[in-house]
Amino acid sequence: MLTFDTIKKYNETFNNQTLHPLISVVDLNKSKPVERNKFTVGFYAIIIKESKCGDLRYGNHYYDYDQGTIVFFAPGQVITNEPEGELHQPYGLALVFHPDIIRGTSLGKQIHEYSFFSYQSYEALHVSEKERALVDICLANIEAEIKQNIDKHSRMLIVANIELLLKYCSRFYDRQFITREQVNRGIAEQFEKLLNDYLLSEKLKILGIPSVAYFANELHLSANYFGDLIKRETGKTALEYMQLKLLDLAKERIFDTSKSLSEIAYELGFKYPQHFTRFFKQKAGVTPYEYRMN
């Protein structure tokens, strides 16, 4: 597995000059053919592919644009470039920046909010020509600032333009969620069915309360993409939605007086009855015992 631990190493691999040790706009078109390999990066990478990527069809509708695709990688992620070992000619642009350049800035504190850095490659951002033009402006501004002599304003201006680019990408992802409305609704419906089946089966008692990651995996999505999709479709986070469903089920079972509250807690996947009591009071405002008595 290749490890790109410095901006310089990434630049050298794709035949680009290193003008700044912590950030670079890399023209992948300058690269010689390289082998497809599994690799990991020690920095943030935003890669803009310039080849047409095709359309996503759902029923009789097309949802994606084919003018470009943008993928996002965070430090430490492992990326597989398939088929491994095959020579290919890279095309496009890449913005790579080390965490140190944003450390101590507002972006450094908020970078985790840009959840698309943890999306899978098949959850990439597809942009229109107008959207791509805005991306290019941000990259051009960053590149122009990198080429300037470094002064006290350099880092502030570079980080401001990175942040502007990420805000645009957030907007474009919101648009993509809207244009994929039918696809997303289908995923939300599948989640609803999977959740209901889980809660009403023995899995709840045997395996315990499921995680958001469990359902994301069942739907072949990354946890962040799945969470963002459910939030847009339901207005609630996936965890909130799951907890409300579990609360409704708990309210039904509490009225079965043939079972103790401890038995009900275990059936609902809680390891200890006191955890169930705490959960129920937090969500319903009263304890399970008070709810039963009322």
Side-chain angles (χ1 to χ4, degrees):
M1 184 172 67
L2 296 175
T3 300
F4 294 111
D5 49 359
T6 65
I7 301 296
K8 183 180 179 181
K9 186 174 180 179
Y10 191 86
N11 276 322
E12 289 174 345
T13 300
F14 297 103
N15 199 30
N16 279 249
Q17 186 180 1
T18 300
L19 301 175
H20 193 294
L22 297 179
I23 187 168
S24 183
V25 177
V26 182
D27 185 353
L28 299 173
N29 303 298
K30 293 180 179 179
S31 174
K32 296 176 181 178
V34 294
E35 275 193 9
R36 295 183 186 274
N37 279 303
K38 188 177 290 185
F39 66 93
T40 184
V41 292
F43 40 78
Y44 292 95
I46 302 171
I47 301 175
I48 301 100
K49 298 180 179 179
E50 293 180 343
S51 58
K52 290 192 174 184
C53 53
D55 298 318
L56 175 66
R57 182 171 177 173
Y58 187 84
N60 296 317
H61 300 278
Y62 291 91
Y63 291 95
D64 282 348
Y65 297 93
D66 61 5
Q67 287 87 350
T69 303
I70 306 177
V71 291
F72 304 82
F73 301 118
Q77 289 181 338
V78 176
I79 303 102
T80 302
N81 196 356
E82 297 178 339
E84 288 189 55
E86 180 181 278
L87 277 177
H88 79 111
Q89 175 61 52
Y91 292 104
L93 293 172
L95 171 65
V96 292
F97 59 96
H98 196 277
D100 284 352
I101 200 167
I102 62 171
R103 208 176 301 281
T105 67
S106 61
L107 178 58
K109 297 172 184 175
Q110 297 168 359
I111 191 74
H112 66 279
E113 295 177 9
Y114 296 101
S115 53
F116 43 76
F117 276 107
S118 297
Y119 288 178
Q120 299 292 336
S121 59
Y122 53 81
E123 299 157 349
L125 176 61
H126 302 279
V127 293
S128 68
E129 288 182 354
K130 287 183 178 180
E131 291 169 343
R132 174 60 194 271
L134 290 170
V135 170
D136 287 342
I137 290 170
C138 292
L139 292 177
N141 288 340
I142 292 169
E143 188 169 29
E145 200 54 47
I146 292 171
K147 290 178 178 178
Q148 295 280 349
N149 292 327
I150 296 176
D151 59 29
K152 65 179 182 179
H153 303 286
S154 299
R155 182 166 175 254
M156 176 186 67
L157 291 169
I158 288 171
V159 172
N161 277 284
I162 296 173
E163 190 164 15
L164 179 61
L165 173 60
L166 295 179
K167 286 180 178 178
Y168 273 129
C169 290
S170 292
R171 170 188 273 181
F172 301 156
Y173 257 119
D174 283 343
R175 182 271 308 152
Q176 184 163 294
F177 276 112
I178 292 169
T179 54
R180 287 181 172 182
E181 186 177 358
Q182 289 199 29
V183 177
N184 294 342
R185 189 176 296 129
I187 292 172
E189 288 170 358
Q190 290 179 62
F191 168 51
E192 174 88 10
K193 184 179 185 306
L194 285 170
L195 178 57
N196 287 336
D197 289 348
Y198 191 104
L199 294 179
L200 298 175
S201 70
E202 288 297 305
K203 287 182 180 178
L204 187 60
K205 183 177 181 179
I206 297 170
L207 302 178
I209 300 168
S211 64
V212 172
Y214 169 84
F215 290 107
N217 187 59
E218 288 291 303
L219 294 166
H220 309 291
L221 298 170
S222 67
N224 278 354
Y225 187 90
F226 170 68
D228 290 345
L229 186 154
I230 296 301
K231 180 71 181 288
R232 284 170 172 83
E233 285 296 305
T234 67
K236 297 179 178 62
T237 67
L239 181 61
E240 289 170 341
Y241 193 83
M242 290 163 54
Q243 288 177 338
L244 285 174
K245 283 282 187 179
L246 184 61
L247 181 64
D248 287 341
L249 182 61
K251 287 178 177 178
E252 285 182 20
R253 296 196 178 179
I254 283 172
F255 286 114
D256 182 1
T257 54
S258 66
K259 293 180 180 178
S260 70
L261 293 175
S262 292
E263 287 177 298
I264 293 169
Y266 293 128
E267 286 181 358
L268 291 172
F270 290 90
K271 194 172 181 180
Y272 303 105
Q274 55 266 39
H275 290 176
F276 172 55
T277 299
R278 186 161 59 244
F279 164 80
F280 195 92
K281 186 169 184 180
Q282 184 183 41
K283 300 299 177 185
V286 293
T287 66
Y289 177 77
E290 291 168 337
Y291 189 83
R292 175 178 273 183
M293 291 301 100
N294 288 338

